[in-house]
Amino acid sequence: MELPRVLVVDDEPGVRESLRLILKDRTEIAVVSSGEDALDAVAARAFDVVLLDILMPGMDGLELLERMRANGPAPQVIMLTATKTVKTAVRAMKLGAFDYVTKPFDIDELIVLVERAAQSAALLREVTALRQEVGHRYSFDNIIGRSAPMQSVLNTVSRVAPLRTTVLLTGESGTGKEVIAKAIHYNSPRASAPLVAINCAAIPDNLLESELFGHERGAFTDAHARKLGHFESAHRGTIFLDEIGEMNPGTQAKLLRVLEQGTFTRVGGSQPVTVDVRVIAATNRDLDKSMQDGSFRPDLYFRLNVVAIHLPPLRERREDLPLLIRHFLKTKSDQIGSHAKTFDRDAVDCLLRYHWPGNVRELENVVERALALSLDSELTLNDLPPALCLIQPSAPVRALAHPNEGSVASLSAAVEQLEHMLIMDALVQADHNQTRAAELLGTTRRILKYKMDKLGIADSDNSEMV
Ligand SMILES: Nc1ncnc2c1ncn2[C@@H]1O[C@H](COP(=O)(O)OP(=O)(O)OP(=O)(O)O)[C@@H](O)[C@H]1O
Ligand SMILES: [Mg+2]
């Protein structure tokens, strides 16, 4: 295991030396004699623990502590104090120091303290790294959408994310409402505070209010103790109210008050609680209808609808399909630990033609299923759910989509081939009646005949026989 990195800051050479002796076998230790040198040292290297003297000429321990804290939570700081400065050490803990030790040191106590501080620093680093990772997952790079409607969505998102504005997300199931809610939070100044997501449809009506706003002890039969609600847990962060259309009228009234005044009362309580929470709501219901039938309050609707973002269904932004397929092939194979794979031509055609009623979620599941089931590096129609491919791509469309493959060498050749196939299809359908075939193709018999001659289609005409 890697040794914790410790920095000692003390102006007395004797203290520096004795700490070095105590800690040199169990830590990677560096020593400096002033606050200024300490700032240089922590800027140059990531330390886990800083042992910091309080009284030093120049910058003292408290000032240094504040300057280090301004750059974030790590490293953990243990104050070194003489008995007469214990009060200052206690003040230092309020400023964020991990703990303090009084000189002369009890060696065992010191060692235990340094180990605990190092563990805590490692945890802090892990949490910071995880937050960054989650934040990255919801960065704009990972939201796929080059189509005009998605570009306009992302444009609005990047403009509202830094503000405190309430946002209402609408769109069919699986279109990415939650992804957008997360992107707004993680690209806002609230990113390091909590994002609390609640699905209003998943919580029974009678519990939703206390889940959101908490309750006082004795508020109802099972309320044995005070419980904080999600609004309080989300303080300084964002609350995501999913399926807001399912919220009951009583809770709607309370939500309206939070949006208007930033305060609420816990269930069974009378004291107003003040919170600083940004609200993002989402629904796949038509709230206009809910307002008409009286199940959704218009005043709440207008409060939520400050900025409305509509996620278009996937079938209305088909140009995003190839990008999404590539994105999920990459991310899902990383996630499930399979090799990089691609879809073959027929499978891609099938994916591009399907109407995707379940939107991006359905596509994501289809790609993941294919990756998980197939042993080959090329995924085929056999790896797709059968229902997806009921409409098979026709040969001419394939030829057009891939003019450089097979016998088709150029666009004009592909067009000729397509014409040839359409004319043959029409002739067969019309039972070789060229007048009817021309009607099917939306042209005249004369033009059809001209094309047939040009393409070398010899066909005996049945028109006269009808
Ligand atoms: N533009 C996008 N780029 C990448 N992934 C996306 C995109 N949109 C949606 N997804 C993925 O699709 C899945 C469904 O998205 P999400 O959960 O946000 O949909 P939703 O609109 O909230 O659906 P529901 O109404 O059913 O809750 C998620 O796994 C998400 O990661
Ligand atoms: Mg959702």
Side-chain angles (χ1 to χ4, degrees):
M1 216 184 78
E2 230 178 82
L3 291 177
R5 293 172 179 177
V6 176
L7 176 68
V8 173
V9 191
D10 201 306
D11 59 321
E12 284 176 54
V15 176
R16 294 201 297 272
E17 197 43 38
S18 60
L19 285 171
R20 189 208 297 277
L21 285 176
I22 297 169
L23 295 171
K24 74 176 177 10
D25 292 336
R26 36 190 106 231
T27 66
E28 213 186 298
I29 189 161
V31 294
V32 293
S33 56
S34 72
E36 289 77 7
D37 288 352
L39 278 181
D40 289 344
V42 293
R45 267 200 98 170
F47 284 98
D48 298 300
V49 183
V50 176
L51 292 165
L52 179 54
D53 189 22
I54 291 184
L55 288 180
M56 288 184 291
M59 192 190 306
D60 71 5
L62 276 192
E63 189 185 341
L64 178 57
L65 174 68
E66 283 188 75
R67 305 257 304 246
M68 284 196 296
R69 277 287 158 275
N71 297 332
Q76 292 291 24
V77 177
I78 298 172
M79 307 305 290
L80 305 173
T81 169
T83 344
K84 63 176 189 300
T85 50
V86 164
K87 271 205 179 124
T88 319
V90 173
R91 226 171 78 218
M93 291 192 51
K94 288 200 179 123
L95 288 175
F98 181 76
D99 211 332
Y100 66 91
V101 280
T102 35
K103 297 179 195 173
F105 317 116
D106 173 329
I107 294 181
D108 293 330
E109 189 193 347
L110 180 83
I111 290 172
V112 170
L113 204 54
V114 168
E115 276 171 1
R116 270 188 29 225
Q119 277 166 8
S120 163
L123 263 177
L124 267 177
R125 259 205 315 272
E126 206 173 308
V127 169
T128 312
L130 281 173
R131 280 231 169 94
Q132 275 169 357
E133 193 191 311
V134 172
H136 175 70
R137 209 177 306 151
Y138 297 102
S139 69
F140 293 129
D141 309 347
N142 281 320
I143 300 179
I144 309 302
R146 211 180 278 164
S147 60
M150 275 309 282
Q151 281 298 309
S152 134
V153 164
L154 293 176
N155 225 317
T156 314
V157 169
S158 63
R159 267 182 292 145
V160 297
L163 313 175
R164 220 200 123 167
T165 323
T166 302
V167 178
L168 178 64
L169 301 166
T170 57
E172 289 176 15
S173 182
T175 46
K177 298 184 292 297
E178 186 155 354
V179 176
I180 294 295
K182 288 176 174 163
I184 293 174
H185 173 76
Y186 285 109
N187 289 285
S188 79
R190 296 168 177 261
S192 57
L195 167 68
V196 178
I198 297 109
N199 184 340
C200 301
I203 300 173
D205 247 10
N206 55 339
L207 291 185
L208 184 60
E209 186 174 337
S210 94
E211 283 287 316
L212 289 177
F213 302 106
H215 59 72
E216 296 293 347
R217 187 169 168 214
F220 44 86
T221 325
D222 291 330
H224 301 303
R226 168 191 279 181
K227 183 175 174 270
L228 298 188
H230 294 306
F231 264 94
E232 277 170 274
S233 322
H235 186 49
R236 299 225 165 88
T238 306
I239 198 161
F240 175 46
L241 300 172
D242 206 354
E243 314 261 9
I244 187 104
E246 314 303 311
M247 187 178 270
N248 59 333
T251 314
Q252 286 179 32
K254 229 163 158 162
L255 175 61
L256 180 64
R257 186 170 153 205
V258 185
L259 290 173
E260 285 180 337
Q261 300 165 14
T263 63
F264 59 88
T265 50
R266 300 190 190 103
V267 176
S270 51
Q271 287 288 25
V273 179
T274 305
V275 284
D276 165 18
V277 174
R278 180 193 206 164
V279 175
I280 302 178
T283 181
N284 50 27
R285 269 209 191 194
D286 181 353
L287 288 184
D288 279 329
K289 246 195 221 144
S290 308
M291 284 192 290
Q292 274 163 27
D293 69 24
S295 59
F296 205 83
R297 296 177 66 119
D299 44 7
L300 176 59
Y301 175 78
F302 293 120
R303 266 281 160 185
L304 290 172
N305 202 24
V306 181
V307 173
I309 300 181
H310 179 70
L311 275 299
L314 192 48
R315 63 183 171 280
E316 286 174 15
R317 45 176 164 123
R318 290 189 168 273
E319 57 270 53
D320 288 338
L321 271 166
L323 290 176
L324 281 164
I325 295 170
R326 210 176 310 144
H327 171 76
F328 288 133
L329 277 173
K330 163 99 188 56
T331 53
K332 292 288 149 185
S333 59
D334 288 351
Q335 261 174 36
I336 65 177
S338 82
H339 299 294
K341 294 180 184 180
T342 50
F343 284 106
D344 75 4
R345 226 166 70 176
D346 288 348
V348 169
D349 283 337
C350 170
L351 293 172
L352 294 183
R353 293 173 132 240
Y354 184 60
H355 58 293
W356 300 108
N359 295 299
V360 186
R361 180 181 294 112
E362 186 180 13
L363 173 64
E364 185 177 3
N365 291 343
V366 164
V367 174
E368 181 168 353
R369 175 184 180 274
L371 283 168
L373 294 183
S374 167
L375 297 173
D376 298 325
S377 67
E378 196 167 57
L379 307 168
T380 67
L381 286 176
N382 291 332
D383 302 311
L384 298 179
L388 221 80
C389 302
L390 286 178
I391 326 158
Q392 283 295 320
S394 67
V397 170
R398 272 211 306 268
L400 262 189
H402 308 283
N404 291 329
E405 291 183 29
S407 57
V408 187
S410 67
L411 182 62
S412 59
V415 171
E416 275 189 6
Q417 183 164 343
L418 178 61
E419 278 182 335
H420 191 282
M421 284 174 183
L422 290 175
I423 290 171
M424 290 303 286
D425 275 0
L427 286 169
V428 171
Q429 265 189 62
D431 201 16
H432 301 277
N433 178 327
Q434 287 179 7
T435 312
R436 276 220 325 259
E439 273 169 20
L440 283 175
L441 291 165
T443 185
T444 60
R445 182 170 170 212
R446 203 170 53 81
I447 291 177
L448 174 64
K449 194 83 186 79
Y450 163 78
K451 293 259 180 205
M452 285 170 65
D453 289 344
K454 196 176 131 216
L455 296 166
I457 301 174
D459 195 63
S460 52
D461 189 7
N462 282 349
S463 297
E464 276 74 34
M465 294 158 63
V466 180

